[in-house]
Amino acid sequence: MKFSTTFAVLLASVAASFAQQVIVSPTPGQVISVNSAFNLTYVTQRSGGFEESSISIDVVISDINLSFPFPGGLPIHDLAPTGTTADGSSVYSTFVNPVVLDGSAVGNRTISVVEYFNAAGGNPGLDVVFVPVTFVDTPPA
Ligand SMILES: *[C@@H]1O[C@H](CO)[C@@H](O)[C@H](O)[C@H]1NC(C)=O
Ligand SMILES: *[C@@H]1O[C@H](CO)[C@@H](O)[C@H](O)[C@H]1NC(C)=O
Ligand SMILES: *[C@@H]1O[C@H](CO)[C@@H](O)[C@H](O)[C@H]1NC(C)=O
């Protein structure tokens, strides 16, 4: 299955919202050098308790308008939770290397976190959360 098709289907099936901000890093509007890895930290609203449990995330880098395909636009795939908050919500934190985007990363982009989870009753669910950033071709800070 082609990734670009997958993501288009995901977006079409999810009522996604910029307002639901649980991407801790990067922050909206953050300027990121394409020459260094950046910290991606996502905190779910899911405790992993009785009702819903978070399974994994994908990280997608796309044009600001979410158009696809985008070379190297899936730098992180199927990342399992890396920790939990004090209240038991799953946390995903990793470094993302935008260099994989073969130079086309530079500009205003959207980073999307696609979260796969088990919903109440065991049905699979997914959320997509966005953060707009600007990639620049400057030496790492
Ligand atoms: C979205 O971005 C692509 C690539 O930059 C561009 O070709 C396309 O025209 C844009 N579409 C809209 C609606 O802005
Ligand atoms: C990203 O930054 C957060 C907040 O400073 C930190 O807790 C986390 O460990 C960092 N992630 C990685 C992968 O180093
Ligand atoms: C990128 O976003 C910044 C901040 O919103 C804006 O000032 C700038 O004009 C944008 N650049 C392009 C190429 O769209």
Side-chain angles (χ1 to χ4, degrees), residues 19-110:
Q20 187 192 11
Q21 185 57 262
V22 285
I23 298 176
V24 176
S25 174
T27 54
Q30 186 170 327
V31 176
I32 301 170
S33 171
V34 294
N35 299 306
S36 62
F38 65 91
N39 178 322
L40 185 288
T41 301
Y42 173 75
V43 179
T44 74
Q45 306 301 315
R46 300 187 170 81
S47 65
F50 304 98
E51 287 140 22
E52 293 189 329
S53 59
S54 190
I55 300 170
S56 67
I57 64 166
D58 292 341
V59 175
V60 179
I61 301 174
S62 67
D63 273 303
I64 198 76
N65 64 10
L66 303 174
S67 66
F68 259 77
F70 198 78
L74 181 64
I76 301 291
H77 176 60
D78 205 21
L79 177 71
T82 57
T84 53
T85 62
D87 71 1
S89 298
S90 295
V91 176
Y92 297 84
S93 190
T94 189
F95 284 105
V96 178
N97 194 341
V99 171
V100 295
L101 296 172
D102 70 11
S104 56
V106 171
N108 290 338
R109 305 300 180 203
T110 298

Side-chain angles (χ1 to χ4, degrees), residues 1-13 60 66-70 74 116:
M1 183 158 44
K2 276 219 172 85
F3 166 67
S4 54
T5 305
T6 308
F7 191 62
V9 169
L10 288 187
L11 287 179
S13 66
V60 179
L66 303 174
S67 66
F68 259 77
F70 198 78
L74 181 64
Y116 301 85

